[in-house]
Amino acid sequence: DARVTQTPRHKVTEMGQEVTMRCQPILGHNTVFWYRQTMMQGLELLAYFRNRAPLDDSGMPKDRFSAEMPDATLATLKIQPSEPRDSAVYFCASGPGQGASGNTIYFGEGSWLTVV
Amino acid sequence: DQQVKQNSPSLSVQEGRISILNCDYTNSMFDYFLWYKKYPAEGPTFLISISSIKDKNEDGRFTVFLNKSAKHLSLHIVPSQPGDSAVYFCAASEGYFGNEKLTFGTGTRLTIIP
């Protein structure tokens, strides 16, 4: 059963600490997205990659957030230093890419981050 | 600037009745629209979609209507069932495919009353 896998599922950390979230996209998918869910903004796009290259990271606060794909099976989202306003659910999603069959993207179960 | 808007944060509907969820968008470049359903502690899952060349798409109890001139779409669920209680997100893509970058609304929490 192909699915997007995210770790950790839950994370509580103190303000100022570094947080790293990891995502394993569905095998064969070449497009990976990071979304953040907040009450006010709904699901907002932070960054996305195609074939491991960043295509758009305009939704990400550049001073503290960074996203990478070290290889095709791993995407990371790092926050350093973390702040209480970063508390949210972070979703990774993957898709087969432009023109491919399967007309949707698939989400992981999310990483629940609480910064105190 | 919210390009996809869901103005009703919540909706309660009696079991067996029709649920209608609404979504408005501002970006004329959007060509593909999707609805996702989300249960607590889970990721959103794809429900139904429609391309801009159509005005209606039906899948079982779910129908999506698109009014491109009004930049409005709606999701109809009939009959509504208790398992339909969830948060529903409207999403849009500038491409012709739903597996590209999606812009989401803020969601509508649907509660089906038994």
Side-chain angles (χ1 to χ4, degrees), chain A:
Chain A
D1 183 27
R3 58 178 181 151
V4 176
T5 305
Q6 290 187 245
T7 57
R9 289 296 316 276
H10 299 271
K11 176 75 175 180
V12 180
T13 192
E14 291 186 346
M15 183 173 62
Q17 295 298 305
E18 177 178 301
V19 175
T20 299
M21 289 167 272
R22 294 176 173 81
C23 168
Q24 181 176 359
I26 292 172
L27 189 65
H29 281 187
N30 68 351
T31 310
V32 176
F33 307 82
W34 282 105
Y35 281 90
R36 174 169 65 182
Q37 183 185 8
T38 62
M39 291 297 292
M40 296 303 295
Q41 299 294 327
L43 283 164
E44 53 177 341
L45 179 68
L46 297 175
Y48 82 108
F49 296 79
R50 176 162 300 127
N51 297 322
R52 297 176 55 200
L55 287 190
D56 185 353
D57 62 0
S58 58
M60 213 163 59
K62 300 289 193 306
D63 56 340
R64 298 183 301 107
F65 284 59
S66 62
E68 295 179 345
M69 280 202 73
D71 62 58
T73 64
L74 176 65
T76 63
L77 179 67
K78 189 174 296 186
I79 307 173
Q80 166 65 14
S82 57
E83 297 181 0
R85 59 179 166 153
D86 301 329
S87 298
V89 185
Y90 292 80
F91 288 102
C92 177
S94 73
Q98 190 173 35
S101 62
N103 217 9
T104 183
I105 63 175
Y106 300 83
F107 283 82
E109 294 185 308
S111 291
W112 294 63
L113 175 65
T114 302
V115 183
V116 298

Side-chain angles (χ1 to χ4, degrees), chain B residues 9-102:
Chain B
S10 62
L11 176 68
S12 294
V13 174
Q14 207 77 30
E15 181 180 358
R17 298 287 185 104
I18 183 170
S19 295
I20 300 176
L21 293 88
N22 294 302
C23 177
D24 298 291
Y25 62 96
T26 57
N27 187 343
S28 302
M29 300 298 290
F30 287 147
D31 269 319
Y32 201 85
F33 304 89
L34 309 89
W35 285 93
Y36 279 76
K37 178 179 180 179
K38 185 185 178 304
Y39 291 121
E42 294 184 9
T45 56
F46 170 74
L47 187 59
I48 192 169
S49 62
I50 187 168
S51 93
S52 60
I53 61 173
K54 295 186 176 182
D55 55 18
K56 176 182 174 181
N57 188 27
E58 196 171 345
D59 183 2
R61 296 185 298 112
F62 303 92
T63 303
V64 56
F65 294 92
L66 174 63
N67 183 334
K68 203 172 177 186
S69 60
K71 294 189 176 67
H72 177 83
L73 63 156
S74 61
L75 173 68
H76 292 211
I77 306 172
V78 55
S80 300
Q81 299 175 354
D84 296 330
S85 294
V87 176
Y88 290 79
F89 288 98
C90 173
S93 167
E94 291 189 16
Y96 290 109
F97 302 96
N99 52 27
E100 291 296 307
K101 168 184 166 182
L102 299 180

